[in-house]
Amino acid sequence: MNGFLKVLLDIFRQPAVIVALIALIGLVAQRKKGTDVMKGTIRTLVGFLVLAAGAGVVSGSLDPFGAMFQQAFDVQGVVPNNEAIVGKVLVEYGSVAALIFFFGMVVNVLLSMTSHFKYIYLSGHVAFYMAAMIAVIFKVAGFPTWGAVLWGSIAQGMIVTVSPAIVQPFMKKVTGTDDVALGHTGGAGIALSGLVAKLTQSRSHPSKSTEDMKFPSGLGFLRDTTVITALSMGLIYLVVALFAGPTFIESKLSDGTNYIVFSLLQGATFSAGVFVILAGVRVVLGEIVPAFKGISERLVKNSKPALDVPITFTFAPNAVLIGFLSSFVGGIVGLVVMAVAGTTIVVPGVIAHFMTGGASGVIGNGAGGRRGAVLGAFVNGLAITFLPLLLLPVLGDVGFSNSTFSDADFGVAGLFLGYLDKGGGQIAIIVGILAALVVLYASSFVLKRRAGRREAADPI
C-alpha cells in the first residue's frame, strides 16, 4: 500500500504528467476518437517536457551568472531559489509536503466547483514548492502530521485557486480571451505589476506597446526575438564577467574556457532556452485549451486551466526581456537598501527575476504599454527581494540556511500563516484559514451577482 501511495505521489509531482492527464480527461469527456485522444495526450506531454527542457537550459545558463555576480560585486547573503530550498525541506518534511500537495489539488477542484473562482492550477512543480513551504510553517507551529496535512491542504487549495484569479483581469487584456489563466507562485507580484502599470498610465499620452518598437532598417534583424535576447544577454554576461575577472571564471566556472567566450556562449544558451520554452508553450496551448473544454463542460463548468508563466511570453516577447531587466534592477535596488540598512542581504535570484519579471513585463505592457512594462516589473523586483527577507523568521531552522523561497506568493502566504503562528499559535492559524475561506466565498458571491447583473444588462 505504501509503495502504491509513493508511486501515486511521484506521478502527481510531475507537472508534465498532470497536464497530460488533464488533456486526456478533457479529450475523453468530449468523446473524441481514440486516435485523437492518444495524439492530443502525447503531444501535450511532449510539449510540456519541451517547455521544461527549455526552462532547464535557461536555468543552467543562469547558474554561472549568479556566481559571477556574487564574485564581481562581493555580495554574500541569502539566495532566493525554490529548487535549492525545497531540496533541503524535503529531507525533513517530504512526506507531509507531498500529502499537502496532493490533497491541495483536490481542494482546488472542489473550490473551483463551488465558487466563482473556476481556475484549475496545473503548474504542478511550483504548487509542490508551495506545499513544501506550508509543510515547514505548520510543522514549526507544532501541528501533528494529520493536522498539518488537513489544514495545510485547505490553505494550499485556497492559494492556488485565488492566485490565478487576481491575475486574470490583466491576463484577459494581454491574451484577448478568458480561456486560459496564469498559474504560478509569482501571481501576487505579477498582479501588482499590472496594477502599478494601470495606475501609472497616462490617459493624455498613453505609452506605446513594447512590441511596437521601431528599429532602423539596418537593425531590422533585431525584430527577431531570439537574436535580440542573445545579444542583450550576451552583453549583460560580458559586463558581469569583466567585473568578476578571468581567473575566477576560468578556474571555477568555465573549466578553462576563455572567460569572454564562455560568457558570450552563456548568453546565447540563454536565448536558446527561451526559444525552446516558446516552442513548448505553443504545443501545450494548442492541445490543453481545446481539451480543457471537456473538463469545464463535464466537471467544473466554465473552468480555466492555470498554466506556468511561459504561456505569457509569446504574447509580448520584447516585454519579456524588458520585464526581466527591470525586475532585476529592482532586485539590485533592494539589495543596496538592505546593505545600507545592515540587514540580511537577499541576492537577486536571476531565475525568479526572469520568470516573474518577464511575465510582469508582459502584464505591465498590456495594462500600460512600455512605461507599464518597466515600472510594473521594477515593482515586482522589489517585491521578490523584500518578501523573502520578511519570510525568513517564520521558517524555523530552514530560515537560517543560505537559500529561501523566491516568488511573491510564497511571501504573501508565508507571512500570513507564519505570523498567525507567532501571534497565536495553532489556534490562530486555524481561525485564520477558516476566516480566509469565508472571505473567499463571500467574494465569490459578490462577483457572481455582479457578473449576473452584467449578463442581464447585456444578454448578447
Side-chain angles (χ1 to χ4, degrees):
M1 182 63 184
N2 289 336
F4 173 76
L5 180 61
K6 182 180 183 302
V7 171
L8 189 64
L9 291 174
D10 286 343
I11 290 174
F12 280 93
R13 285 173 55 184
Q14 301 300 319
V17 174
I18 294 172
V19 174
L21 287 174
I22 294 294
L24 171 66
I25 295 170
L27 291 166
V28 169
Q30 293 181 84
R31 299 178 181 176
K32 295 286 187 179
K33 295 180 183 178
T35 53
D36 290 337
V37 171
M38 182 175 67
K39 175 186 171 184
T41 303
I42 293 175
R43 280 181 59 84
T44 303
L45 176 67
V46 172
F48 202 95
L49 291 175
V50 169
L51 189 159
V57 173
V58 169
S59 177
S61 71
L62 290 176
D63 286 341
F65 179 81
M68 289 160 55
F69 187 89
Q70 285 191 332
Q71 174 67 19
F73 304 108
D74 194 25
V75 173
Q76 297 294 326
V78 174
V79 179
N81 184 285
N82 294 329
E83 288 74 18
I85 190 68
V86 168
K88 296 176 182 178
V89 170
L90 295 185
V91 173
E92 188 170 355
Y93 306 112
S95 59
V96 176
L99 289 169
I100 289 174
F101 168 69
F102 178 77
F103 289 109
M105 288 178 58
V106 175
V107 173
N108 175 217
V109 173
L110 291 175
L111 290 175
S112 300
M113 292 174 65
T114 58
S115 78
H116 186 70
F117 305 111
K118 301 189 178 300
Y119 304 96
I120 307 297
Y121 203 91
L122 299 182
S123 300
H125 59 309
V126 290
F128 185 68
Y129 299 161
M130 179 63 73
M133 185 197 72
I134 291 173
V136 171
I137 292 174
F138 276 69
K139 293 305 287 183
V140 167
F143 278 90
T145 297
W146 70 267
V149 172
L150 171 63
W151 297 107
S153 299
I154 296 173
Q156 167 92 355
M158 283 194 290
I159 292 166
V160 299
T161 302
V162 172
S163 180
I166 63 175
V167 185
Q168 192 61 12
F170 304 107
M171 275 291 287
K172 286 194 292 186
K173 192 169 183 63
V174 166
T175 63
T177 178
D178 199 22
D179 294 335
V180 66
L182 180 68
H184 191 268
T185 44
I190 295 168
L192 178 62
S193 72
L195 180 61
V196 168
K198 189 173 181 180
L199 292 176
T200 56
Q201 183 181 24
S202 172
R203 296 189 180 277
S204 57
H205 300 286
S207 180
K208 294 182 179 179
S209 170
T210 57
E211 309 313 297
D212 293 333
M213 290 181 176
K214 301 297 183 182
F215 294 98
S217 57
L219 298 177
F221 66 94
L222 293 178
R223 295 178 184 272
D224 189 307
T225 304
T226 303
V227 174
I228 190 64
T229 302
L231 288 175
S232 302
M233 291 306 299
L235 179 61
I236 293 171
Y237 273 88
L238 183 59
V239 170
V240 175
L242 291 173
F243 279 98
T247 303
F248 171 77
I249 295 173
E250 293 173 13
S251 63
K252 300 291 186 181
L253 301 176
S254 71
D255 197 24
T257 301
N258 178 271
Y259 76 114
I260 298 294
V261 174
F262 174 77
S263 301
L264 293 175
L265 285 176
Q266 291 303 311
T269 301
F270 180 95
S271 179
V274 173
F275 180 86
V276 174
I277 286 174
L278 295 178
V281 167
R282 293 186 187 100
V283 174
V284 172
L285 285 181
E287 298 295 337
I288 194 68
V289 173
F292 205 83
K293 182 181 177 184
I295 296 178
S296 64
E297 290 175 347
R298 301 279 177 169
L299 186 60
V300 185
K301 187 178 180 181
N302 299 323
S303 60
K304 303 170 186 65
L307 301 173
D308 204 355
V309 284
I311 66 165
T312 64
F313 291 177
T314 54
F315 295 102
N318 292 343
V320 174
L321 188 58
I322 291 172
F324 164 53
L325 296 175
S326 298
S327 182
F328 193 74
V329 169
I332 293 175
V333 170
L335 180 152
V336 172
V337 171
M338 292 176 191
V340 172
T343 67
T344 299
I345 292 177
V346 176
V347 178
V350 182
I351 296 174
H353 282 289
F354 173 71
M355 291 297 182
T356 68
S360 294
V362 175
I363 293 296
N365 178 64
R370 298 173 195 172
R371 185 190 300 111
V374 172
L375 295 178
F378 178 80
V379 172
N380 172 76
L382 290 176
I384 64 174
T385 301
F386 286 102
L387 284 174
L389 176 68
L390 299 174
L391 184 62
L392 292 176
V394 306
L395 297 178
D397 292 340
V398 174
F400 294 104
S401 62
N402 59 1
S403 62
T404 189
F405 296 94
S406 62
D407 305 324
D409 285 2
F410 292 116
V412 173
L415 289 174
F416 176 73
L417 295 171
Y419 282 97
L420 280 175
D421 171 43
K422 285 186 173 293
Q426 297 177 25
I427 297 298
I429 291 179
I430 293 172
V431 171
I433 290 174
L434 292 175
L437 197 59
V438 171
V439 171
L440 184 150
Y441 277 107
S443 303
S444 172
F445 176 75
V446 171
L447 292 172
K448 204 168 188 178
R449 289 194 62 181
R450 193 174 294 172
R453 287 173 184 168
R454 282 198 300 265
E455 289 178 5
D458 185 14
I460 298 178

